[in-house]
Structures are given as structure tokens and as C-alpha cells.
Amino acid sequence: MLDRYWFGAVDRISPEAPVPVVRVTREEVRLGGAANVAMNIAKLGSSSSLMSVVGIDEAGDRLVELVASMGIQALIERDESIQTIVKLRVIGRSQQLIRLDFDAPPQQGPLLRLLGMFDDVIAMHDAVVFSDYGKGGLSHVVSMIGKARAAGKAVLVDPKGDDYSRYAGATVVTPNLAELAQVVGAWPNEAALSERAQNLRERLGLQALVLTRADEGMTLFDAAGSLHVPAVAREVYDVTGAGDTVIAALACMLGAGLPLREAMPIANRAGGLIVSRFGTAGLTYDELFG
């Protein structure tokens, strides 16, 4: 995805409707979605490759340029039948006033071509991240998880929707509170949460489930039980892309050989640091460990 920001001054209310008039003074574009995960991995100093499909349009050109500027290996199919996914945020007085989404699901042709390259790509890396945004790009995720696990790679999934069966066999799945509740239902207390999370983990054959809990930190559920790490108290400026930073840091740590129980507190710290910044952003190794 391409994250586009329009910044401007808000001096009056429109005479046409009770909405603010934003006089746009500056535009900024950043990598979003799976591209933001790849960028976060690259900024931490790890080798990063991105497999995706974008349109043959101006937004797709900008996205490809940004990916190249970050030193990310781009395995990007261009598909003239779709519009590159864009999230346009209009910012006035340091507040997001509205977000406009532009997207269309990719065709199977480009996805099958990427699937054909998948074995060669995973051979170059220690971890594979699947960022599911429900946009149709992961229609072959079951096969891809199987290939990655057969190759001995750590597989991390940022999930979407109410059916996690397609993520079966992954190393770790990282839902937030709302996403997990959509799958297992609301829980009345921590004991019920633990039981439902563990049942889901065992049913899917996951090594662990990592629950991101915003200002409550993160909780890891694995065969040994659960491990909770509280959030680091800091001013929250923007939660956009925080989940991308968390899974990117987790992937880097697992790829470096750290056990999940040692990697998760580092990912929690990364998430705590990134929310103090505006929009999708990344952390350097020195910022994370300094």
C-alpha cells in the first residue's frame, strides 16, 4: 500500500456542509501495509524482500521508487487491471480529519507468478512475514506457509478476518485485541482469555500466539503457558503502523535466532517507541537498543 498524507491549514467551515475546509500546503508519501513491514525490517538492519502486486499507475510508481530507496529487494508484479492500494489521510491542525481508501483485489495471474518465485526468495531469508489486510493478495497463503515451514523458516502472520484456519502451521500469529475477539469471542476475564487463546493456538498448530494489547502491552501464549510484558509508558501520538513495527521487530529477532520469549519483549519495546511518532515510520537498530 501507499500511504499518502495531505497536510494543510484549517481556518474555516465550508459553506456547503458542516465540515472543515483544509487548504493543502504539503504532501507526503510513505510505504504502507506489507511494504511498511519490509521497510521496518530494512531499517533495523536486516535483509528484506517484498513480494506484492501493485497497479500500473502513479501510486504504483511512487511505491516502487520508495521500496528501492530503502534497499528492499522488490519482487513486485505490476497489474494494469487494478488500482494500487492507497490510503489518503487529510491532516489539519495536527489531527487526522478523514481517511480515503482506494483499492481493488489483484487478479490470480500476478499472484501465481509470485507464488512461482516464492521458493527461491525464502531460501535467502530466515523468516517470512505474511501481512494480511484482507485485500486478496494472500489467496495462496496456505501453500506459502507450508513451503516456508518445510524450508525451516520462521513464519509470522499479522492476521485478518474471523477464519484463522488458513494460517495453520505458522510459527506465530499476532492479532490485536479486536482481531482475536472476532475469532474466539469476547472473554470475561484473563483466565478465559488464556483458555481461548491456547485452544486456538493448539487447534492451528502454532508455536505461539502473540496478542498485542495497545497500552496494556503484549501477551505471548505458548506450550509453556503465557508471558505478559507491560507497555512502556510514553505519550501516544499515532498508532498507525504500530502492528507492522511489532511484527517486523519480532521477525528480525526470530531470524537472528532468539527464542520467542526473548524476542517478544523487544518487539513490545519497538511498538512502544513507534507510537510516539506520526504516521507509518520505522526504527533503527540503535534507536531500538540504545
Side-chain angles (χ1 to χ4, degrees):
M1 304 177 190
L2 187 72
D3 283 356
R4 195 185 300 272
Y5 297 86
W6 287 354
F7 298 89
V10 180
D11 302 316
R12 61 193 178 96
I13 300 299
S14 171
E16 303 165 359
V19 295
V21 174
V22 182
R23 180 169 49 84
V24 177
T25 57
R26 179 168 63 93
E27 176 190 345
E28 187 174 321
V29 291
R30 302 184 185 184
L31 295 173
N36 185 41
V37 178
M39 182 271 290
N40 271 268
I41 291 171
K43 286 203 72 171
L44 284 170
S46 294
S47 173
S48 179
S49 300
L50 174 67
M51 301 189 76
S52 193
V53 180
V54 301
I56 302 177
D57 49 24
E58 181 269 342
D61 293 341
R62 297 293 294 274
L63 192 147
V64 170
E65 290 170 3
L66 285 172
V67 167
S69 71
M70 288 299 305
I72 299 166
Q73 180 186 19
L75 298 158
I76 298 177
E77 285 288 317
R78 305 295 296 269
D79 184 355
E80 64 182 4
S81 69
I82 67 167
Q83 181 179 26
T84 300
I85 298 174
V86 175
K87 292 183 178 179
L88 169 60
R89 298 171 175 90
V90 180
I91 313 296
R93 294 179 180 173
S94 299
Q95 293 184 336
Q96 184 179 150
L97 302 178
I98 191 171
R99 192 183 90 182
L100 306 175
D101 288 7
F102 306 85
D103 61 70
Q107 302 297 311
Q108 284 300 305
L111 294 177
L112 287 171
R113 287 193 292 273
L114 289 176
L115 183 61
M117 293 184 265
F118 188 66
D119 287 341
D120 292 336
V121 178
I122 60 176
M124 300 185 295
H125 297 283
D126 299 299
V128 181
V129 179
F130 295 99
S131 294
D132 196 345
Y133 285 86
K135 303 297 185 181
L138 287 179
S139 58
H140 301 291
V141 69
V142 173
S143 172
M144 296 170 91
I145 288 175
K147 287 173 175 286
R149 293 300 286 153
K153 311 300 180 179
V155 174
L156 302 89
V157 180
D158 191 353
K160 195 76 171 180
D162 59 4
D163 178 15
Y164 283 13
S165 62
R166 62 188 181 276
Y167 309 135
T171 306
V172 59
V173 173
T174 63
N176 60 31
L177 288 167
E179 289 166 342
L180 184 62
Q182 190 177 2
V183 177
V184 303
W187 49 86
N189 50 51
E190 286 293 314
L193 165 60
S194 181
E195 180 182 6
R196 296 183 187 192
Q198 292 286 21
N199 286 341
L200 178 63
R201 181 189 66 80
E202 292 171 5
R203 187 166 71 249
L204 297 178
L206 308 174
Q207 183 177 334
L209 185 149
V210 172
L211 177 63
T212 59
R213 309 178 68 163
D215 58 356
E216 297 178 2
M218 294 166 57
T219 306
L220 179 148
F221 300 94
D222 62 10
S226 63
L227 172 66
H228 181 74
V229 179
V232 179
R234 64 182 69 249
E235 183 177 356
V236 176
Y237 188 73
D238 189 356
V239 298
T240 303
D244 295 339
T245 300
V246 165
I247 200 168
L250 199 59
C252 288
M253 297 307 109
L254 293 183
L258 264 66
L260 264 166
R261 286 190 165 228
E262 294 180 27
M264 191 266 281
I266 298 173
N268 181 64
R269 172 174 168 77
L273 288 169
I274 208 69
V275 295
S276 63
R277 304 182 182 185
F278 177 79
T280 50
L283 299 169
T284 66
Y285 181 93
D286 289 341
E287 288 170 331
L288 179 56
F289 292 100

